Each structure stands twice: as structure tokens, then as C-alpha cells.
Amino acid sequence: MSLENVTIQFGPFRALTDLSFQIERGEILGVAGPNGAGKSTLMNVCTGGLHASRGRVLFNGKDVTGFKRHSRCGLGIAQTFQIPTLLSSVTVGENLLAGQMFGSEARGSAPDIPIQDILYLTQLEDTLNLPASQADLLTRKRIMLGAALATGPEIIFMDEPLGGLNAEEIVEFLQVIRHVREELGITIVMVEHKTRALAEIADRILIINFGEFVMLDRPEVVLNDDHVVEIYLGKKHDA
Amino acid sequence: MADRSASITSQFTGAGLGRSSLIFWALVGGLALLGGLLGDSYVRHIFILVFIWCIVIASWDLILGYAGIFNYAQLVFFAFGAYGSAMLSIYAGLTPLLAIGAAALVGAGIGVLVAVPSLRLKGEYVALFTFAVHLALPPLIQQGRAIGMGGNTGLLGIPWLNLFGFQVSSIDKLTWYWVSLAFGAVCVYLIYFVILRGRMGLAFIAMRDAETFAQAIGVNEYKYKLLAFVVSAVFTAVAGGIYAHYTSVVTPKVLGTEFFLMAMVMLAIGGMGRFPGAIAGVFTVVIGNELLRSFDDYRLLLLGVAVVVTVIFFPEGVAGAFKPKPPEKAE
């Protein structure tokens, strides 16, 4: 997927300014930046929650700028949210079923990821009949990821997938995300505040600030960059 | 990753449908027998109303309880069904059964008309708009005198139902009992067992529980919300048609506050979005309302108290009270 000069304007306020970059197939791309940098807006532009005021969003060479969420889902663009709001009145299995059912409807053919693989990756096999409302946070995140996978995506945008998890759970969920990429070859874009975890898992990290592109490079380069450190921590004082 | 062909079994893929259908039709059969046993024609009349209400409330439950769309124009669909069927059989000479079918089409059209503006609105604004449609209709019907809607007095002398050459008069309560039971049972079955337990039902629940997430996993919100309006309106219009031919009178009173409040009370007491809550609500409220008739002026007060008690102690309605308790969380 690539963005070309994407600008998002809310009235007088510019949430994203002239943003261009490319997401490589099969990579894990981390997106970071201070609060209000425009990370969530960026996610929404990519997944169809918002439409660019100017510029284009391309996916597999196709201009998807004006596509809505469900149409983008049909093209293979999936998404998980910061707060895992699920189909809470049905079972875990039915959440996945919904992904499979409407994913196929949106794309017009059955998704090519077998449900067994999804269950294996997300480790939801034993909880299929549990009401989704009774699942704990980590399980909810697994369910949300599982339903997204059931739509048969090529790329998944994850908004703060590690938010609210404790250290142990973070390790566990990072492993799940890693497996999704390794086993299924799905491209992953994740917005995350936990920079250390992001550096550990991401192939590249994109930093944005005030809706503008700052840099996009390997984690060790990005996190040692003076300008990036300054954005996060403020200017160094010379003694 | 052994069994690659395995899929998820769920009520939305038809699991358990045979068994629950069997129970449903057994109950309907029981009600059919009951009709023969009940000697009193007034009691039969009450049950006829129950069966017609069941269609309306099930349709409302579909859009409000399952799809989570705050539609308050349900009785508008009912009124169009009743007036449509009545006028088609009076003026166009359609045989009532056919007129009811045509009323369903009218209902579908009205469903689309109400849906299109509603779909541009969010949440509570849908409630405001649809209720405004409801409030705007009685004056329109009065103006409709010019096209034969009968104004305030309504339409009188609506033809009796003609079942394969057999005229069913409004006095023939036993036949009407079975006719309305048949219509009610088929509609309720289609709504709860076919539509809501299929793809459409899962889409509705998805939009209600998690709107954005639903879109993200491919639910076409516009399509399914439009469908919710249309399906709900079609069934409600059928109920309106049956009602018109049963009572042989339709007046703008079908849009009156009492009808509307009764419908709300049925849903509140029964519980929305969980079969058979709404249906239980219809039986409870209509029959309860009759039992309370001897209390005269206090009847409405008692109904009000019943609603308050239900809302406080059983916020999910009668159906919620029977919900299995969640198991203790294993640590």
C-alpha cells in the first residue's frame, strides 16, 4: 500500500499534511509519534474510516482513496482497534464466523485463510463457545485479530494492539503478531506507544509529528536519531 | 493445522435449527388446539390481537433490538399496511389475501422511504426523525380524505377475508383465531428462525454490538440497515393488513398514543434482541391488560408500575431473567 501526498483537513485544522510513504509487502511497520501526531488519523485514512482531503491511497496499484471500510475489507485490508469492542452478545466462534462470512461477502469469494490456521495462531480453539462478553482483554484482542484474519486480508492495521496489556501479555501477543506475519505472510502496520516493544518487532518504524512525516527507517536508526529523541523527550540542554 | 476444512458451527450456520423449530411449531400447534377449546369468543378476540401484535413486535424487535436502529416509525408501517390493504380491497376490488400481499409491497416502499433519510443520521437522531414521521402521519391521513382515506372517521366496511371462496366474517372468531395464528406463526418463524438466524441476523447483531468493527470485517452497513428497515416494514404492513380485514375498520387511531405506548411496553417488559423476549412481552402485556380491566381507571397505572418494576429489576426484560448466569471466571 502506498500513500501519495495525503492531506486530511478538519475545517481549519490539518491532521495530516502531504504525507507520502510506502508500505512494503510482508513487513511489520511500526507507526509512532507523540500524542496528537495524527497516528490514528493515518490508520483511518488507510482503512477507510476517513477519506483523504487531498492525495491518494493506493493498494496493489488500485486507487482506494474513496473506498469505504467494508469495500477495503473486500480488497484485503483489515483492521483491529485500540479498544476491542467485539460482537459481545455472541460467542467467540461467531465473532470469527462474522469475519469469515462478511469478509467473503465483501470480496465476493471465500477468504483463503483456513479457519483452523486462525484458531491455531490466535489460540482460540478452546474458547469458541465462550460468550465474547466474558473474554478477558488479551482474549478480546485475540478475537479481534482472529475476526480480522478470517476476512482473508493481505494487510492488517493494528491500532495500539499492546495497550492495556501487562509485560507478560505483551510478550505473548507480540508472538501472536509475529506468527501472523511469519505463517500467513500478512503485512502488518501497527501504531504503538510502547516504543521498546515496537523496536523489537518492527522491520521499520515511521515517525510522524504534527501530522507531518518525520522519518521512516529501521528501528535502531530511528530510535537513535536526535530529532526523534527530541520529539519525544524535548531538546537536550547544553551545559 | 490438521483439519483444514473444518468450520465454525453456530446457530447462524443452521446449528440446532431443527430442534428449536420443532419446539416452536409444537407450541403453535398447542395454541391452535387451545383456540378450539376456548369457548368464549371474547377470549378468542384477545388472542387474535395477541397474534397480530406478535408480528408487529417481532418486526420492531428485529430493527430496534437486533439491528440496534432506533426506529420509532413502526406503527407507520402498520398504518400503511392497514390503509393500503383496505383501500386496495375497497377501491381496486382486490381480494383481501391479495391486498395483504400488496400491502407488504407498500410496506417495503415505505420502509425504503423512511430508511433513506434515517441512514444519513446517527443514533438518537434516527429516533427523532422516525418519531417525527410517526407524528406527521395522522394529519396526512386526514388530508388524504380526498384520495379516499376517510379522514378522521377512517375507512369502514373493509371486505372480509376471503379464504378460497369462504368468507370469514369478523364474528367468526374461531376461524379468525386460526388465520391470525397461522399468519403470526409464519411471520414470527421467518423473522426469528430464518432471517435473524442467518447472515442478516449476524450482520444486524454485528452493527449493533460494534458498528465500526462490523464495517471493518466487511459488513456493508448501508445495505444491511436498509434491509432491516425493509424487512421490518414488510412484516409490519402484513400485520396491518390482517388487522384491517379482521376489524373491517381502520382509523388514524392506529397511530394513537395508546397503541404506541402498548407496543413500547411490550418490548420493555419482554426484553429486546433476545428471542422469545419480545413475544413473551406481547402475551404478558395484552393478556395482563385484559386481566386488569376490572381495575378500570387504575389499569394504566398498574401497567406503568409493571414497566417500572421490570426496568428496575429485569433490565433485560422477561427474557433476561431466564438468561443463564455467566460461569465463575476461572483464574
Side-chain angles (χ1 to χ4, degrees), chain A residues 68-70 73 77-79 81 85-90 93-103 105-106 114-117 120 128-129 134-136 143-144 147-148 151 183, chain B residues 1-13 198-200 202-224 325-327 329:
Chain A
K68 286 186 174 168
R69 265 204 190 91
H70 67 91
C73 168
I77 302 171
Q79 177 179 24
F81 299 90
T85 315
L86 304 167
L87 318 195
S88 54
S89 53
V90 295
E94 283 160 348
N95 271 269
L96 303 188
L97 179 72
Q100 198 181 35
M101 205 181 251
F102 300 110
E105 184 180 310
I115 204 82
Q116 285 309 315
D117 293 5
Y120 173 77
L128 281 181
N129 293 316
Q134 288 171 28
D136 58 35
I143 299 168
M144 187 164 245
T151 65
E183 311 278 337
Chain B
M1 299 184 198
D3 187 5
R4 293 185 146 254
S5 63
S7 59
I8 293 162
T9 52
S10 136
Q11 56 162 329
F12 297 103
T13 57
R199 170 187 294 261
M200 225 192 273
L202 189 53
F204 291 166
I205 291 171
M207 294 190 299
R208 176 196 68 191
D209 284 358
E211 200 176 3
T212 323
F213 179 51
Q215 295 164 18
I217 57 173
V219 176
N220 184 340
E221 190 188 16
Y222 197 88
K223 170 183 155 187
Y224 282 106
K325 285 257 166 14
K329 267 207 184 139

Side-chain angles (χ1 to χ4, degrees), chain A residues 4 14 22 34 52 63 76 90 111 130 147 154 174 176 184 189 197 201:
Chain A
E4 290 180 357
R14 254 191 207 173
Q22 188 158 3
D63 187 344
V90 295
L130 182 83
E154 286 175 38
L174 278 179
V176 174
L184 303 174
V189 179
I201 193 171

Side-chain angles (χ1 to χ4, degrees), chain A residues 148-210:
Chain A
L149 288 174
T151 65
E154 286 175 38
I155 184 168
I156 299 190
F157 290 84
M158 307 182 80
D159 197 356
E160 294 204 34
L162 307 177
L165 299 181
N166 65 33
E168 245 170 79
E169 293 169 329
I170 287 177
V171 173
E172 215 177 320
F173 201 54
L174 278 179
Q175 198 57 32
V176 174
I177 297 173
R178 220 174 257 133
H179 277 153
V180 167
R181 196 262 297 261
E182 309 299 330
E183 311 278 337
L184 303 174
I186 294 174
T187 312
I188 290 168
V189 179
M190 54 191 276
V191 164
E192 192 48 71
H193 271 298
K194 299 193 165 83
T195 337
R196 200 182 304 163
L198 201 59
E200 201 182 299
I201 193 171
D203 299 312
R204 295 193 300 162
I205 292 181
L206 167 72
I207 303 282
I208 53 176
N209 194 20
F210 297 118

Side-chain angles (χ1 to χ4, degrees), chain B residues 113-331:
Chain B
L113 276 183
V114 176
V116 169
S118 299
L119 288 177
R120 302 182 67 91
L121 304 170
K122 286 245 172 265
E124 52 272 37
Y125 293 97
V126 176
L128 283 176
F129 169 72
T130 49
F131 195 58
V133 172
H134 175 102
L135 292 177
L137 199 57
L140 272 177
I141 291 175
Q142 283 174 20
Q143 296 305 313
R145 196 197 296 272
I147 57 160
M149 294 183 89
N152 253 340
T153 37
L155 288 168
L156 310 171
I158 299 165
W160 290 342
L161 196 62
N162 185 327
L163 282 180
F164 317 108
F166 176 67
Q167 300 276 346
V168 191
S169 85
S170 301
I171 305 153
D172 186 356
K173 300 288 183 206
L174 185 57
T175 311
W176 260 110
Y177 180 95
W178 284 326
V179 169
S180 56
L181 174 62
F183 268 103
V186 169
C187 290
V188 167
Y189 184 81
L190 287 175
I191 290 172
Y192 285 110
F193 290 74
V194 178
I195 295 168
L196 289 175
R197 284 179 69 158
R199 170 187 294 261
M200 225 192 273
L202 189 53
F204 291 166
I205 291 171
M207 294 190 299
R208 176 196 68 191
D209 284 358
E211 200 176 3
T212 323
F213 179 51
Q215 295 164 18
I217 57 173
V219 176
N220 184 340
E221 190 188 16
Y222 197 88
K223 170 183 155 187
Y224 282 106
K225 284 195 168 168
L226 185 64
L227 274 172
F229 271 100
V230 171
V231 170
S232 181
V234 163
F235 283 107
T236 309
V238 167
I242 298 165
Y243 177 83
H245 294 286
Y246 171 57
T247 57
S248 79
V249 181
V250 197
T251 68
K253 271 202 188 120
V254 294
L255 292 161
T257 319
E258 196 181 334
F259 259 49
F260 185 78
L261 287 180
M262 281 288 272
M264 294 270 284
V265 169
M266 288 173 195
L267 269 185
I269 287 190
M272 289 186 281
R274 186 179 293 116
F275 182 75
I279 300 300
V282 176
F283 278 82
T284 314
V285 172
V286 178
I287 294 172
N289 192 29
E290 288 308 317
L291 294 178
L292 292 177
R293 254 191 213 289
S294 52
F295 289 93
D296 222 11
D297 290 348
Y298 296 103
R299 184 172 54 96
L300 287 177
L301 179 69
L302 289 170
L303 264 184
V305 170
V307 173
V308 172
V309 168
T310 318
V311 170
I312 292 176
F313 294 104
F314 308 101
E316 293 175 5
V318 179
F322 296 107
K323 192 171 74 169
K325 285 257 166 14
E328 294 295 318
K329 267 207 184 139
E331 286 300 322

Side-chain angles (χ1 to χ4, degrees), chain A residues 49-63:
Chain A
L50 286 169
H51 300 292
S53 318
R54 275 196 300 284
R56 301 196 301 164
V57 180
L58 299 173
F59 183 63
N60 287 342
K62 189 177 174 128
D63 187 344

